[in-house]
């Protein structure tokens, strides 16, 4: 059984590849990357695949039984056609199964919603593809907050507009494990899973960070308007608006969802504390 993973040079794609190797051996795993040399360190066969080029995937998916489609990072209006390039190439090559990394989030009423809407369209395209399929809806990664820790310490605070909203965080390690299981175990076919852990507030997130990293941060909520302006000034209009939309969604409950992680994997999702401790071990 040959399984291909798109965006293998990215952090999520690489995590999925590593977990797949443990499940089926490196000789049965194919990584696909827009820039193949960025993924050679994974130790598996790497093929070229640019989401904008369907012919890339018509070659890359030859001899493949199942493909993991990592959601693209381009602007929302481009993603649907990019994903369709992979779906159509999979159908043309006789790929039996496609697994898609979708996302948790509100489909309307905040600045992150256009991205969620494009993911929902790809979900629909996959369900109607005629292939076996599994869809995972990823929670927000916990790693970016931990990678931003130096800035948090410098500022003495975690600052956003989520207020008391809860967010069910996940990690790339947990997701890599889940997607490997969803790819190799046919019992998951036809299911859509919320791949998230325990839902926590930003105050709880801050307290966990203080416990694991011995910091003295506080959480300071700000208004949606102020946070949007801050993020746009720091990150530019597009990314800043998306980030502000994510935290608006948390405030409004879009990321406080029931977890299907145990159904997808056979084990419980790691706790926020455990994810942080694992991250600390990895960087030390």
């Amino acid at each position: 059984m040959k399984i291909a993973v798109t965006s293998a040079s990215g952090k999520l794609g690489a995590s999925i590849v590593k977990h797949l190797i443990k499940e089926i051996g490196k000789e049965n795993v194919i990584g696909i990357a827009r820039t193949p040399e960025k993924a050679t360190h994974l130790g598996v066969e790497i093929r070229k695949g640019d989401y904008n080029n369907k012919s890339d995937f018509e070659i890359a998916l030859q001899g493949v039984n199942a493909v993991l489609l990592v959601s693209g990072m381009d602007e929302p209006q481009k993603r649907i056609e990019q994903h369709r390039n992979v779906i159509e190439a999979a159908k043309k090559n006789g790929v039996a199964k496609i697994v898609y990394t979708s996302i948790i989030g509100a489909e309307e009423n905040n600045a992150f919603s256009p991205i969620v809407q494009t993911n929902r369209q790809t979900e629909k395209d996959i369900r109607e593809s005629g292939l076996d399929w599994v869809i995972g809806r990823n929670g927000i990664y916990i790693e970016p907050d931990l990678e931003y820790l130096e800035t948090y310490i410098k500022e003495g605070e975690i600052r956003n507009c989520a207020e008391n909203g809860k967010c069910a965080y996940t990690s790339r390690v947990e997701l890599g494990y889940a997607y490997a299981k969803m790819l190799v175990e046919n019992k998951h076919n036809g299911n859509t899973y919320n791949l998230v852990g325990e839902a926590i507030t930003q105050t709880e997130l801050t307290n966990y960070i203080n416990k694991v990293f011995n910091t003295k941060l506080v959480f300071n909520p700000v208004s949606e308007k102020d946070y949007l302006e801050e993020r746009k000034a720091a990150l530019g209009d597009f990314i800043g608006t998306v980030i502000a939309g994510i935290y608006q969604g948390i405030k409004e409950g879009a990321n406080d969802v029931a977890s299907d992680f145990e159904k997808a994997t056979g084990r419980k999702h790691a706790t926020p504390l455990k994810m942080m401790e694992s991250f600390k071990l990895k960087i030390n």
Side-chain angles (χ1 to χ4, degrees), residues 14 22 38 61 70 85 129 138 153 164 183 242-243 282:
K22 295 176 184 177
K38 291 184 178 180
L61 294 180
V70 175
N85 285 340
S129 68
N138 300 349
I153 293 170
N164 293 317
L183 282 159
V242 168
I243 297 299
K282 185 177 178 181

Side-chain angles (χ1 to χ4, degrees), residues 103-105 110-113 115 140 161-162 167 169 227 239-252 254-255:
I103 198 164
I104 300 292
N110 73 52
F112 190 58
S113 296
I115 293 175
I140 293 174
C161 63
C167 179
Y169 285 96
Y227 190 64
I239 297 298
T241 299
V242 168
I243 297 299
I246 288 172
Y247 285 98
Q248 180 188 352
I250 294 173
K251 175 184 174 181
E252 295 170 352
N255 295 82

